[in-house]
Amino acid sequence: MFRFATPYALLLIILIPLVAAYRRRHPAPALGHSGVDPVGDLPPSAGLWVHRLLPLLFYLVLLLLITALARPQYGIERATVSETGINIILAVDLSESMAALDFKQEGRIVNRLEAVKRVVNDFIARRHGDRIGLVVFGSQAYTQLPLTRDYQTIAAMLDRLEIGAAGRATAVGDAIGISIKRLADIESRTHIIILLTDGRSNSGELMPQTAADIARQKEIKIYTIGVGGEGRAPFLVDDPIFGQRYVYQNVDLDEETLVQIADATGGAYFRAQDTAALEKIYATIDALEKSEAKVARFAEHNELYRYLLVPALALLALWIVLKNTRYLDIP
């Protein structure tokens, strides 16, 4: 894509015919070149030809300088950048209970974390212009990825999450606290936390209700998602005697606390007992928290003025030398 960065400078080209008209009306006689050919009908010499071309050289220099002043550029539009959006922290439970095999995905049984990964990836793919960060928690909570618009990196980091990587227990309050800190890093008109867990808060330093109060004061909305069915859930365990086998264990989901967190911050609580319900929940949040992103296009352009300025200066120097030596004008 070719363009002039300062196209109004091209209006100066009108000066060239004005200068030419003025020079024709007020010619300056040159020493040794009175306008009469001293050798009659003989062909003009090379020196006389150069003398006749000097005005054209002067006008060419003017044209090159004016065009360089207009800053010609060549470049290709490269990307679009969203200027506005909302900040979203995904807080994902990695406690051992997320290994429960009570979800189905494309006809096969998967654990809760695997189901969550796919649904969250779909959710991320539908967002445009939003900054998304990732906080994981178990016995401790920590930032897996700060707020970013690099959705490919988010998806890659999400795919690497492993059950038990943050400890065996569940620190819901600490997860909310870390999420609040990450949202404070970058200003936005809307901050939300999507907290996904399948257990009861039994670890950490910050109580879930206290964390929710802090979020409310900072106008951060929290959507809480309780994962898994009711009662006992199957787990695949390695038995030193019988090898791998399935055992059923009770999963203690504290829905009351999750409801309180959501209500305190103006969010909502959802219960996901299967993959379809989980997909519907994220679709609902996606619709509730749509952002209107203003898109600004930008391009990188290479400056071309130097390719005009350098020859213009070289020709100007040549013109000055010729006009002050062999072709010196005598008033």
Side-chain angles (χ1 to χ4, degrees), residues 178-320:
I178 292 293
S179 300
I180 292 172
K181 289 181 179 179
R182 294 290 74 82
L183 290 172
D185 293 342
I186 302 177
E187 292 186 1
S188 175
R189 62 181 178 83
T190 304
H191 297 290
I192 71 169
I193 297 171
I194 301 177
L195 176 74
L196 187 145
T197 183
D198 67 344
R200 180 181 298 273
S201 185
N202 53 16
S203 182
E205 299 179 1
L206 190 62
M207 296 295 295
Q209 292 83 356
T210 304
D213 290 338
I214 297 172
R216 184 185 69 250
Q217 293 169 12
K218 294 184 177 295
E219 298 182 345
I220 297 173
K221 193 183 299 184
I222 302 178
Y223 291 97
T224 54
I225 301 175
V227 183
E230 297 178 355
R232 291 154 60 85
F235 290 81
L236 183 62
V237 298
D238 288 320
D239 191 288
I241 298 176
F242 300 102
Q244 283 192 337
R245 63 190 184 93
Y246 290 97
V247 297
Y248 283 80
Q249 299 177 5
N250 288 320
V251 178
D252 186 18
L253 176 62
D254 186 3
E255 287 192 282
E256 182 180 353
T257 297
L258 296 179
V259 170
Q260 290 174 356
I261 292 170
D263 289 345
T265 60
Y269 168 72
F270 302 94
R271 179 69 184 270
Q273 298 188 10
D274 52 42
T275 304
L278 191 58
E279 291 173 346
K280 185 176 180 180
I281 289 166
Y282 273 94
T284 301
I285 296 174
D286 185 58
L288 290 173
E289 298 295 342
K290 277 293 184 185
S291 61
E292 297 180 2
K294 297 179 181 178
V295 176
R297 297 185 179 273
F298 74 93
E300 285 189 1
H301 291 90
N302 295 319
E303 295 281 356
L304 304 179
Y305 72 88
R306 61 177 65 90
Y307 301 109
L308 301 172
L309 185 59
V310 171
L313 294 177
L315 293 175
L316 179 61
L318 176 63
W319 182 83
I320 292 173

Side-chain angles (χ1 to χ4, degrees), residues 129-149:
D130 300 326
R131 300 181 188 90
I132 300 177
L134 185 61
V135 168
V136 296
F137 64 99
S139 303
Q140 301 86 31
Y142 60 89
T143 303
Q144 185 76 10
L145 190 68
L147 289 167
T148 179
R149 288 194 177 106

Side-chain angles (χ1 to χ4, degrees), residues 79-111:
T80 58
V81 177
S82 299
E83 296 180 335
T84 61
I86 64 177
N87 291 342
I88 302 172
I89 290 291
L90 302 172
V92 180
D93 188 351
L94 297 184
S95 62
E96 290 189 340
S97 56
M98 290 292 286
L101 297 165
D102 53 357
F103 277 74
K104 280 189 177 181
Q105 195 175 86
E106 297 177 352
R108 63 187 184 91
I109 298 175
V110 296
N111 63 43

Side-chain angles (χ1 to χ4, degrees), residues 145-166:
L145 190 68
L147 289 167
T148 179
R149 288 194 177 106
D150 186 351
Y151 298 153
Q152 290 185 344
T153 298
I154 300 170
M157 295 298 291
L158 187 69
D159 187 58
R160 296 175 186 173
L161 297 184
E162 295 183 359
I163 295 170

